[in-house]
Amino acid sequence: MNANILASQTAMGAVSLKVADLDSMIAFYRDGVGLTLLAHDGPSAVLGRPGSPAIILEHAAELKHAPSTSAGLYHTAFLFDEKSDLASSVYSVARAYPRNFTGSSDHLVSEAFYFNDPEGNGVELYWDRPRDSWKWQNGSVEMGTVYLDPNRFLQENLTEAGLSAATVGDTAVGHVHLKVGDIQTAKQFYVDTVGFEITIEYGTQALFVSAGGYHHHVGMNTWESNGAGARTPALGLGQVAIEVPSTDDLGALGERLTARGVQQAHDGRMLTFADPWANEIRVTAAA
């Protein structure tokens, strides 16, 4: 095992959001996206599928929206195992929230549909093509942005069950895309310190990183946020969660953070720290 990189079985966990209207946000992710409401305890709600939370909503009425030029969340990307489940979710959101659709793309490694939730947080719903069809060159995966006709996708993949399904099949957070202030600092933190590996780099505009040869677990861009400093408390992203296979992996990450002077809270099973823009990261061990 290379102590300087994250284990290949590393995966993303639930994203938490600070929200102003908890009820409307629950409705979007439950009745629109099709996630199951797993828990609703006062000012917070957890949605996903049994045993696998995907989104945590935390009511924070005292907070305001940050400017679009601030660092923070670009989108949370929900990965579907089956194209039929993706089609069902896309149809459900588009039917209930037609004004929230922002686009669709064939990225060569995946097919993706984009929405905004009721409070303006970006949402990607996507399905991966088989890994053996992905093309790599010099350590970089080939990705593109090719027009994907949403109506044709639905015609080809939406089943009768999907027309009326209140929930969809297996889905989880496949990746998280962040707005950052500059790519070089992002690279030093997420690659050199946290231990992700670069899969695509677009100069000073965007960086995609992963563990285990995935196309990306974390994306970062400066398209709206170039030069942004540390975030102040605001609605939107609360926390990004990452899961590593073992406590040994967690310990190795803690050592890398300590060596580079990154403040952290570590209780043996969970490691919490912030990136250079005050985006909070929580890493847990699966076993």
Side-chain angles (χ1 to χ4, degrees), residues 59-79:
H59 188 224
E62 75 282 3
L63 298 180
K64 305 297 183 183
H65 289 285
S68 61
T69 54
S70 298
L73 182 68
Y74 189 67
H75 64 236
T76 303
F78 298 95
L79 174 63

Side-chain angles (χ1 to χ4, degrees), residues 50-136:
S52 181
I55 193 96
I56 301 168
L57 305 175
E58 300 172 344
H59 188 224
E62 75 282 3
L63 298 180
K64 305 297 183 183
H65 289 285
S68 61
T69 54
S70 298
L73 182 68
Y74 189 67
H75 64 236
T76 303
F78 298 95
L79 174 63
F80 293 80
D81 286 351
E82 304 293 338
K83 291 180 81 169
S84 58
D85 285 332
L86 172 58
S88 178
S89 182
V90 170
Y91 175 76
S92 176
V93 181
R95 181 178 57 178
Y97 300 88
R99 296 183 179 181
N100 295 45
F101 178 69
T102 59
S104 52
S105 292
D106 182 337
H107 292 305
L108 306 184
V109 296
S110 63
E111 293 177 308
F113 299 83
Y114 298 92
F115 298 86
N116 285 329
D117 73 18
E119 298 193 3
N121 300 291
V123 175
E124 176 182 343
L125 309 176
Y126 77 111
W127 168 86
D128 277 335
R129 288 195 168 91
R131 282 201 184 203
D132 59 11
S133 71
W134 302 355
K135 296 180 180 178
W136 294 80

Side-chain angles (χ1 to χ4, degrees), residues 47-220:
L47 298 97
R49 56 185 173 85
S52 181
I55 193 96
I56 301 168
L57 305 175
E58 300 172 344
H59 188 224
E62 75 282 3
L63 298 180
K64 305 297 183 183
H65 289 285
S68 61
T69 54
S70 298
L73 182 68
Y74 189 67
H75 64 236
T76 303
F78 298 95
L79 174 63
F80 293 80
D81 286 351
E82 304 293 338
K83 291 180 81 169
S84 58
D85 285 332
L86 172 58
S88 178
S89 182
V90 170
Y91 175 76
S92 176
V93 181
R95 181 178 57 178
Y97 300 88
R99 296 183 179 181
N100 295 45
F101 178 69
T102 59
S104 52
S105 292
D106 182 337
H107 292 305
L108 306 184
V109 296
S110 63
E111 293 177 308
F113 299 83
Y114 298 92
F115 298 86
N116 285 329
D117 73 18
E119 298 193 3
N121 300 291
V123 175
E124 176 182 343
L125 309 176
Y126 77 111
W127 168 86
D128 277 335
R129 288 195 168 91
R131 282 201 184 203
D132 59 11
S133 71
W134 302 355
K135 296 180 180 178
W136 294 80
Q137 186 171 3
N138 299 322
S140 294
V141 66
E142 182 182 346
M143 290 181 65
T145 303
V146 180
Y147 175 68
L148 176 61
D149 184 335
N151 292 316
R152 181 175 179 180
F153 180 88
L154 291 179
Q155 289 169 359
E156 293 176 349
N157 297 287
L158 187 61
T159 64
E160 286 294 328
L163 285 168
S164 58
T167 58
V168 296
D170 284 354
T171 183
V173 175
H175 66 267
V176 176
H177 200 141
L178 301 173
K179 298 191 294 183
V180 299
D182 74 276
I183 295 303
Q184 186 59 37
T185 300
K187 187 191 306 184
Q188 291 170 351
F189 185 80
Y190 283 97
V191 178
D192 299 341
T193 302
V194 177
F196 283 109
E197 297 176 277
I198 296 172
T199 55
I200 314 175
E201 188 172 2
Y202 295 110
T204 60
Q205 294 192 39
L207 177 70
F208 296 85
V209 301
S210 81
Y214 191 53
H215 52 71
H216 67 295
H217 285 113
V218 182
M220 293 149 275

Side-chain angles (χ1 to χ4, degrees), residues 238-259:
Q239 196 174 67
V240 173
I242 300 171
E243 185 177 85
V244 294
S246 70
T247 54
D248 287 344
D249 297 304
L250 201 63
L253 173 56
E255 290 175 3
R256 292 196 298 275
L257 294 170
T258 298

